[in-house]
Amino acid sequence: MGLHLPDGPVTLDDVPRMRTLGDVVELLGVATPLYVRFSAGPEKDSTTVSRDHESGCELPGLSVNPLDPEPWWDRPVEHWVARQLCQYAHLLTPERFPWALTGEIVGRGPDCEPLLDATVPVASIDRAVVDEAAALYECVFDPGNDGT
């Protein structure tokens, strides 16, 4: 999969569509760092700001979740990506969907999530990918185990 983004503003119409979890993992091999955001999309996000819902504070960038595994991660990349997609899957609605992006980290949000500015959409992510990630997550993780 070659990643060729056009010059100028990029929309989701300009980027590849990820239809499987394997597609997202393959994308990490050609574009990094990558993040996932659940929202109405980059066009809408270009005219809005992220807010901390509890305090109402405006955040300096868009809230995202990293798709690149941390250096300490010793499991398959697919497991990391599945976990990251599942962390915010509750935000998936008919109006909000996941999409992959890159950008400049300008801070951390209240959940220590990266906040990005100068964002560039890299791919759209189908709902089927989130469903596949949820199925894998249930098989390979121990959800709700807090170590006690």
Side-chain angles (χ1 to χ4, degrees), residues 31-55:
T32 191
L34 281 181
Y35 304 89
V36 64
R37 177 164 170 79
F38 286 79
S39 74
E43 294 86 4
K44 179 76 171 169
D45 283 350
S46 69
T47 62
T48 189
V49 296
S50 289
R51 289 195 176 277
D52 171 25
H53 297 292
E54 291 182 15
S55 70

Side-chain angles (χ1 to χ4, degrees), residues 44-96:
K44 179 76 171 169
D45 283 350
S46 69
T47 62
T48 189
V49 296
S50 289
R51 289 195 176 277
D52 171 25
H53 297 292
E54 291 182 15
S55 70
C57 292
E58 185 175 311
L59 302 174
L62 296 177
S63 297
V64 297
N65 215 15
L67 286 174
D68 293 83
E70 288 291 328
W72 52 263
W73 188 255
D74 63 0
R75 298 176 73 162
V77 174
E78 290 85 354
H79 293 185
W80 176 272
V81 173
R83 188 173 183 173
Q84 298 304 87
L85 288 172
C86 289
Q87 294 305 308
Y88 289 95
H90 64 279
L91 298 175
L92 189 61
T93 68
E95 298 81 30
R96 300 178 87 158

Side-chain angles (χ1 to χ4, degrees), residues 4-29:
H4 304 286
L5 297 177
D7 294 331
V10 179
T11 69
L12 288 182
D13 292 333
D14 302 320
V15 298
R17 186 176 192 135
M18 303 294 100
R19 298 182 190 283
T20 69
L21 193 57
D23 288 347
V24 178
V25 171
E26 185 179 339
L27 183 63
L28 283 167

